[in-house]
């Protein structure tokens, strides 16, 4: 069977299984690529491919383990309680204000370009509100994904830096013109938030009679009791805030590898807040279910990635998509690249797309007078769809913290993610950021 066709069928089968709930994402990520690798005749190398995939995701898995533990300790200690209380007082039980607040908070937090911290802080602040008012948690997931999907386009977010380095352009050439397009993406997210807010307001009403506070809610974002006041460390709020700011600064400046930073951050945080060894062990055990739920999916995605890359399935799929672009459409290569960035960044990681596929597309586009900078801008407009990819590790963290189904979240959020990308592509064309 044609390798590209096999790959496309595998993606369709995978999505169908998890969206129809015939199979969990964890099981599908392991079994689907294994079966299709066997069908493709890759019996001998399948083990090596899987191990290579696991090696690739191992640093991410380690980072998530200690990121969850670090922010879990900070939540236990009450670092975010003042912020949450301010938000609670501002929204006053109005679903519309809650959804708008979700986008604003997620977008601001996402300025650091990291999905993990964005989801942890956003869910920590907003999920108690959603639960108290009776709102749909899938809305929270969708709005957080739309926000990080846009803010991930900052140079320090990853994709833009890859596009710049792969095509040897500059930040000024690529990122500066894309800023108004990102603003349009946030406006789209706010529009979606308004739609859901009005819809939820009609469904559950406005709970403005509720004088909500943290003590009122009795809920942590993970659903545990909030009565354990002994865990709170109000006197250490500024110490914890400083530690978190230093950690985020170190992440942005790449002072050390991210997994190492979170490991060190966790060690310092737990020692400062809970010096008692028995209490340290108790807090680690309390957050262990979240760690297992998220990290197991990350390592399962390593099997998926390893098989896709090792069998060259992903290369064949990319080549097939590039080859279907007729020469007569050459003048529209930037728009085509922007549209293709959605499926490309969905079924493959950022590195193979930006370092493997984008240079090929850019070389082809240059024959039609389209610059590398324009191609780089076009290539990052599919990021709202990318953050729903089964290869996007932070997405598993979001689903795990909210306690929602991965496949159902895909079904709920994917159309909005596609809408966000298409909207930004249209704005980019109108503003001349990419040529039509």
């Amino acid at each position: 069977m044609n390798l590209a066709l096999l790959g496309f069928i595998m993606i369709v089968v995978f999505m169908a299984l998890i969206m129809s709930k015939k199979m969990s994402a964890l099981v599908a990520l392991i079994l689907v690529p294994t079966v299709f690798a066997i069908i493709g005749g890759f019996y001998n190398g399948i083990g090596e491919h899987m191990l290579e995939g696991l090696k690739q995701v191992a640093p991410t898995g380690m980072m998530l383990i200690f990121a969850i533990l670090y922010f879990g300790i900070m939540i236990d200690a009450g670092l975010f309680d003042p912020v949450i209380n301010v938000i609670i007082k501002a929204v006053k039980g109005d679903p519309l204000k809650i959804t708008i607040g979700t986008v604003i908070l997620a977008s601001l937090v996402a300025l650091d370009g990291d999905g993990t911290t964005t989801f942890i802080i956003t869910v920590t602040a907003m999920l108690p509100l959603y639960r108290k008012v009776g709102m749909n948690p899938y809305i929270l997931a969708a709005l957080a994904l739309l926000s990080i999907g846009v803010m991930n386009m900052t140079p320090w977010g990853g994709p833009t830096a890859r596009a710049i380095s792969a095509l040897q352009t500059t930040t000024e050439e690529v990122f500066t013109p894309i800023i108004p397009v990102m603003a349009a993406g946030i406006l789209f997210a706010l529009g979606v938030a308004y739609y859901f807010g009005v819809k939820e307001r009609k469904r559950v009403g406005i709970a403005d009679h509720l004088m909500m506070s943290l003590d009122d809610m009795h809920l942590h974002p993970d659903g545990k009791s909030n009565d354990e006041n002994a865990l709170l460390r109000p006197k250490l709020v500024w110490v914890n805030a400083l530690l978190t700011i230093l950690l985020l600064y170190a992440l942005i400046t790449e002072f050390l590898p991210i997994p190492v930073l979170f490991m060190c951050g966790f060690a310092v945080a737990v020692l400062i807040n809970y010096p008692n060894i028995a209490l340290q062990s108790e807090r680690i055990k309390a957050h262990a279910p979240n760690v297992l739920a998220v990290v197991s999916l990350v390592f399962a995605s390593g099997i998926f990635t390893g098989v896709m890359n090792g069998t060259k399935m992903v290369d064949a799929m990319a080549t097939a998509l590039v080859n279907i672009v007729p020469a007569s459409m050459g003048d529209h290569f930037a728009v085509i690249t922007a549209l293709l960035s959605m499926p490309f960044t969905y079924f493959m990681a950022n590195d193979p797309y930006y370092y493997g596929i984008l240079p090929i597309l850019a070389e082809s586009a240059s024959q039609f007078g389209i610059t590398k900078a324009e191609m780089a801008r076009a290539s990052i407009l599919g990021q709202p769809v990318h953050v729903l990819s089964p290869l996007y590790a932070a997405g598993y963290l979001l689903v795990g913290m909210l306690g929602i189904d991965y496949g159902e979240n895909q079904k709920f959020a994917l159309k909005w993610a596609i809408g966000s990308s298409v909207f930004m592509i249209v704005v980019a064309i109108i503003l001349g950021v990419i040529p039509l």
Side-chain angles (χ1 to χ4, degrees), residues 3 37 42 45-46 48-53 56 302-315:
L3 193 56
F42 300 99
I46 190 171
E48 288 80 1
H49 299 332
M50 290 176 172
L51 282 175
E52 188 58 36
Q56 289 177 9
I303 300 293
F304 190 93
T305 306
V307 171
M308 288 278 284
N309 292 337
T311 61
K312 305 297 181 185
M313 226 181 275
V314 69
D315 295 337

Side-chain angles (χ1 to χ4, degrees), residues 168-204:
Q168 298 181 331
T169 57
T170 66
T171 301
E172 291 77 14
E173 288 178 310
V174 177
F175 178 63
T176 304
I178 215 80
I179 291 173
V181 179
M182 292 176 62
I186 296 300
L187 283 175
F188 180 88
L190 288 170
V192 175
Y194 181 84
Y195 167 78
F196 280 129
V198 171
K199 196 173 179 180
E200 288 293 272
R201 185 190 270 177
K202 289 179 181 177
R203 188 177 69 86
V204 300

Side-chain angles (χ1 to χ4, degrees), residues 80-374:
F80 304 110
D81 288 1
V83 177
I84 295 171
N85 270 326
V86 168
I87 295 171
I88 290 169
K89 290 175 183 177
V91 299
K92 296 180 179 177
D94 184 350
L96 178 56
K97 291 180 180 178
I98 291 172
T99 53
I100 296 293
T102 301
V103 172
I104 293 172
L105 177 63
S107 300
L108 289 174
V109 176
L111 280 169
D112 74 342
D114 181 61
T116 302
T117 53
T118 298
F119 295 149
I120 288 174
I121 294 173
T122 302
V123 172
T124 299
M126 303 309 296
L127 184 56
L129 291 170
Y130 277 72
R131 285 181 170 164
K132 185 71 176 180
V133 178
M135 295 171 64
N136 185 351
Y138 286 97
I139 294 173
L140 171 53
L143 296 178
L145 286 163
L146 288 177
S147 302
I148 189 64
V150 174
M151 301 308 294
N152 203 36
M153 293 160 61
T154 55
W156 51 89
T160 302
R162 289 177 174 89
I164 289 169
S165 61
L167 299 185
Q168 298 181 331
T169 57
T170 66
T171 301
E172 291 77 14
E173 288 178 310
V174 177
F175 178 63
T176 304
I178 215 80
I179 291 173
V181 179
M182 292 176 62
I186 296 300
L187 283 175
F188 180 88
L190 288 170
V192 175
Y194 181 84
Y195 167 78
F196 280 129
V198 171
K199 196 173 179 180
E200 288 293 272
R201 185 190 270 177
K202 289 179 181 177
R203 188 177 69 86
V204 300
I206 300 176
D208 56 359
H209 61 284
L210 296 174
M211 297 301 293
M212 292 185 292
S213 67
L214 288 177
D215 293 333
D216 231 5
M217 290 182 182
H218 304 292
L219 285 172
H220 265 311
D222 56 10
K224 295 185 178 71
S225 171
N226 196 32
D227 294 330
E228 299 173 312
N229 292 325
L231 293 174
L232 296 176
R233 298 292 184 265
K235 293 181 180 179
L236 294 175
V237 166
W238 290 109
V239 175
N240 287 330
L242 178 61
L243 178 62
T244 303
I245 290 168
L246 289 174
L247 177 59
L248 294 177
Y249 177 77
L251 288 172
I252 294 169
T253 58
E254 299 180 355
F255 178 71
L256 287 173
I258 293 177
V260 176
L261 285 172
F262 271 114
M263 291 175 79
C264 294
F266 162 72
V268 173
V270 76
L271 188 62
I272 290 174
N273 290 282
Y274 307 110
N276 181 278
I277 293 178
L279 192 53
Q280 289 178 10
S281 177
E282 179 188 310
R283 297 326 305 149
I284 292 171
K285 288 177 183 177
H287 297 293
N290 276 345
V291 171
L292 180 61
V294 172
V295 177
S296 61
L297 281 166
V298 171
F299 282 107
S301 74
I303 300 293
F304 190 93
T305 306
V307 171
M308 288 278 284
N309 292 337
T311 61
K312 305 297 181 185
M313 226 181 275
V314 69
D315 295 337
M317 293 164 70
T319 303
L321 283 174
V322 172
N323 288 339
I324 64 173
V325 180
S328 60
M329 297 291 288
D331 291 339
H332 309 294
F333 230 96
V335 176
I336 292 170
T337 298
L339 292 170
L340 287 178
S341 69
M342 288 186 275
F344 269 136
T345 58
Y346 184 86
F347 63 70
M348 69 171 67
N350 278 327
D351 283 343
Y353 171 63
Y354 286 105
Y355 293 119
I357 306 305
L358 181 58
I360 298 172
L361 293 170
E363 184 62 34
S364 301
S366 66
Q367 301 172 26
F368 302 94
I370 300 172
T371 68
K372 288 183 176 180
E374 290 168 335

Side-chain angles (χ1 to χ4, degrees), residues 388-399:
L388 276 162
S389 166
L391 306 179
Y392 183 66
Y396 299 120
L397 174 65
L398 176 66
V399 169

Side-chain angles (χ1 to χ4, degrees), residues 10-33 138 297 304 346 388-391 396 399 405-412 414:
M10 184 181 83
I11 295 292
V12 170
V13 170
F14 171 77
M15 293 302 298
L17 286 172
I18 63 170
M19 285 187 173
S20 64
K21 299 184 181 180
K22 299 291 184 184
M23 199 176 282
S24 70
L26 178 65
V27 174
L29 283 167
I30 298 169
L31 293 185
V32 172
Y138 286 97
L297 281 166
F304 190 93
Y346 184 86
L388 276 162
S389 166
L391 306 179
Y396 299 120
V399 169
D405 180 73
Y406 183 85
E408 194 64 32
N409 184 55
Q410 292 274 316
K411 191 189 302 182
F412 186 90
L414 191 55

